[in-house]
Amino acid sequence: MSSNPATATPRRAGEFDPEFNGGHILLLPGTDAVDVATDSGDRIYIVGGTTLWTNGEYILSVLNHDGTNCEDFNGGEPVRNWFIPGAHCLGEEVAVLPDGKILILGAEARNSKVGFALARYLRNGMLDLSYGVNGHAVPIFDFGDVVIAKNDPAVGENEPRYLYTGKFFLFLYGGRTYISGFALRAGKGVTLLMCLDADGNLVKTFGNGGSAVIEHPEHHVNARSMLVANDHIYLAGYVQLQSKNYKAWVRLRLDGSLDTGFGKGGFIFDTGANFVGSGNFKAVALQDDQKLMGVGVAVSSRVTYHGMLESIDQEGGRDVDFNDGEPVVTVIGPRSSWYDCAIQADGRIVTCGHTGSDGENMLVARYLPDGRLDTSFGDNGGWTQFRLKDEVYQPALALDSNNDIVVTGRYFDDRSSIPFVFRLKG
């Protein structure tokens, strides 16, 4: 006999949503799922790639609220395409515009060089030919000594060693598109920003003809996580000195210049002991009170990694309403890290990441606005954790209209890369 829905036990926040793929993880086509967005109708948009490390296309999958393929988008099939034919292409960020069009930011790699690339699609899955050149834009920056790198420096050696990792970021503000990524200038880490108008053209009044390089006068800087608010651009990431990474904030003006009135010359970073400064922001979100929430990883003096959150006001001051102005470090398993975050309508903070010696366990957590774990979420006093074969790679999340949590990413199964998506009750 089937149960009566009216008397069924309601799902606890942090449990799998039975209305999405029957409450199970949904495996996706391709090899990568890097970012996810939702629209006002709760359609789900996921971008990634079709191959790892070799020539491949970007891929855009669109799902209905229940996890089925959206039939009125490209006939229910994912879109697979190149930013530039023959280049290795990967979709890294996706955003839904107010008119329902879908904007993708990704990477295109040719001859060992990596560049920004964008595409815009109509709601039906057709390329928006009014954007850029026939739907694609590949902006060129005017800095001959700067090279975009899809790599990140490893800590612990005298000189940075570059490994395959990293992501580009996209933010929409005031009718413009801001994009950011990690780059190198004379072997030193810098952050590259570009600004485009609604048609995919560079905004010439931004920086140097549409692009700007953010460089610390002394230290390597990797601050790609970005948001734009109240006529300022905020970046979060880290600076590197003495072979250690220290979490950092940067503020720019809308013209791409450093706001030297913020912190010290536009930078705020803390080189204090233990968990205070050592670490890295991997994502940033704007809270309802216009304060900034950064999430990532803190590194202890014993080189142990734990998920970390920090809240600051727009002038860079400590948010005393959040953990008395101190970062929140959550110890989960042998090592953990947060990769993305979102703010629910009531101000609660949702994060996703991984834990385990090989990052094999998926993590989703929820915090109260004051920084305490929300014990009503999940079955571990504030978080949900489950095993996904092998390494969970840089997961991302988005909220739907019910504040339910859509999470995407990829994991390894032997030598195969498996992209996935699931939804938890919020």
Side-chain angles (χ1 to χ4, degrees):
M1 179 181 297
S2 62
S3 61
N4 183 348
T7 60
T9 302
R11 289 276 172 163
R12 177 184 177 90
E15 292 185 350
F16 282 95
D17 185 351
E19 296 180 4
F20 179 86
N21 196 40
H24 301 287
I25 295 173
L26 176 65
L27 303 184
L28 297 167
T31 57
D32 252 311
V34 185
D35 193 33
V36 58
T38 60
D39 67 12
S40 58
D42 284 340
R43 294 210 300 187
I44 300 166
Y45 303 82
I46 302 165
V47 292
T50 60
T51 63
L52 291 181
W53 306 305
T54 58
N55 287 349
E57 302 165 297
Y58 66 81
I59 186 169
L60 170 62
S61 298
V62 181
L63 306 175
N64 295 312
H65 185 255
D66 62 3
T68 58
N69 290 332
C70 186
E71 294 293 334
D72 62 355
F73 181 89
N74 198 39
E77 295 295 325
V79 163
R80 304 166 188 254
N81 206 345
W82 291 279
F83 296 114
I84 295 177
H88 173 53
C89 301
L90 175 67
E92 300 204 331
E93 290 268 286
V94 59
V96 182
L97 304 178
D99 61 4
K101 294 178 182 179
I102 306 103
L103 185 64
I104 299 170
L105 168 66
E108 57 86 13
R110 293 167 290 160
N111 303 320
S112 301
K113 292 185 178 180
V114 181
F116 292 125
L118 300 101
R120 194 165 74 189
Y121 281 84
L122 304 175
R123 186 175 169 81
N124 63 6
M126 299 295 291
L127 268 172
D128 179 5
L129 301 182
S130 69
Y131 184 78
V133 178
N134 295 327
H136 288 101
V138 182
I140 305 300
F141 54 90
D142 192 18
F143 294 100
D145 59 344
V146 173
V147 178
I148 296 178
K150 279 293 295 173
N151 304 307
D152 218 4
V155 176
E157 300 181 13
N158 292 330
E159 297 295 333
R161 178 169 57 89
Y162 298 97
L163 306 174
Y164 184 89
T165 182
K167 183 179 178 181
F168 296 157
F169 286 86
L170 172 154
F171 201 90
L172 306 175
Y173 183 83
R176 293 180 173 179
T177 300
Y178 296 86
I179 58 179
S180 62
F182 172 57
L184 299 174
R185 170 180 266 173
K188 180 181 177 183
V190 298
T191 299
L192 176 68
L193 273 75
M194 302 187 80
C195 180
L196 295 86
D197 63 21
D199 296 321
N201 303 309
L202 285 173
V203 176
K204 297 300 184 179
T205 57
F206 180 87
N208 180 21
S211 56
V213 174
I214 309 308
E215 183 174 10
H216 191 276
E218 299 176 64
H219 308 304
H220 166 99
V221 60
N222 186 342
R224 294 169 289 174
S225 304
M226 175 178 53
L227 65 81
V228 189
N230 294 336
D231 293 340
H232 285 98
I233 302 168
Y234 292 88
L235 304 174
Y238 68 87
V239 298
Q240 186 180 91
L241 60 153
Q242 297 177 347
S243 298
K244 289 186 179 180
N245 294 344
Y246 294 92
K247 56 188 176 63
W249 298 94
V250 188
R251 192 169 78 179
L252 317 175
R253 302 179 183 91
L254 288 184
D255 63 4
S257 61
L258 272 172
D259 183 352
T260 56
F262 180 82
K264 185 177 180 180
F267 294 83
I268 292 177
F269 58 94
D270 182 358
T271 58
N274 297 322
F275 290 125
V276 177
S278 186
N280 179 14
F281 291 119
K282 298 178 183 289
V284 60
L286 187 66
Q287 302 176 79
D288 290 342
D289 58 6
Q290 301 298 295
K291 293 176 182 176
L292 282 68
M293 173 60 57
V295 305
V297 60
V299 186
S300 73
S301 58
R302 296 182 179 181
V303 196
T304 302
Y305 298 82
H306 299 294
M308 176 268 298
L309 300 83
E310 183 178 76
S311 179
I312 64 169
D313 63 34
Q314 291 200 18
E315 297 304 315
R318 294 184 176 185
D319 177 7
V320 296
D321 296 323
F322 183 84
N323 197 39
D324 295 324
E326 298 297 325
V328 169
V329 177
T330 305
V331 178
I332 303 174
R335 57 187 296 164
S336 62
S337 179
W338 300 129
Y339 282 91
D340 202 2
C341 64
I343 311 299
Q344 294 184 321
D346 59 5
R348 287 184 285 190
I349 305 138
V350 180
T351 63
C352 69
H354 64 204
T355 187
S357 57
D358 295 318
E360 69 274 14
N361 294 318
M362 182 74 223
L363 277 178
V364 182
R366 188 164 73 185
Y367 295 81
L368 300 174
D370 63 6
R372 292 176 297 152
L373 277 166
D374 180 1
T375 57
S376 70
F377 185 88
D379 52 9
N380 294 287
W383 73 83
T384 292
Q385 173 181 329
F386 53 89
R387 175 73 183 265
L388 279 176
K389 295 287 185 180
D390 207 342
E391 180 191 6
V392 179
Y393 188 77
Q394 297 188 350
L397 62 81
L399 303 176
D400 68 14
S401 62
N402 296 319
N403 279 316
D404 293 332
I405 306 154
V406 183
V407 181
T408 195
R410 68 169 162 92
Y411 65 86
F412 282 98
D413 183 359
D414 193 14
R415 294 185 178 182
S416 298
S417 176
I418 311 296
F420 64 85
V421 62
F422 61 87
R423 188 169 70 224
L424 303 181
K425 296 297 292 183

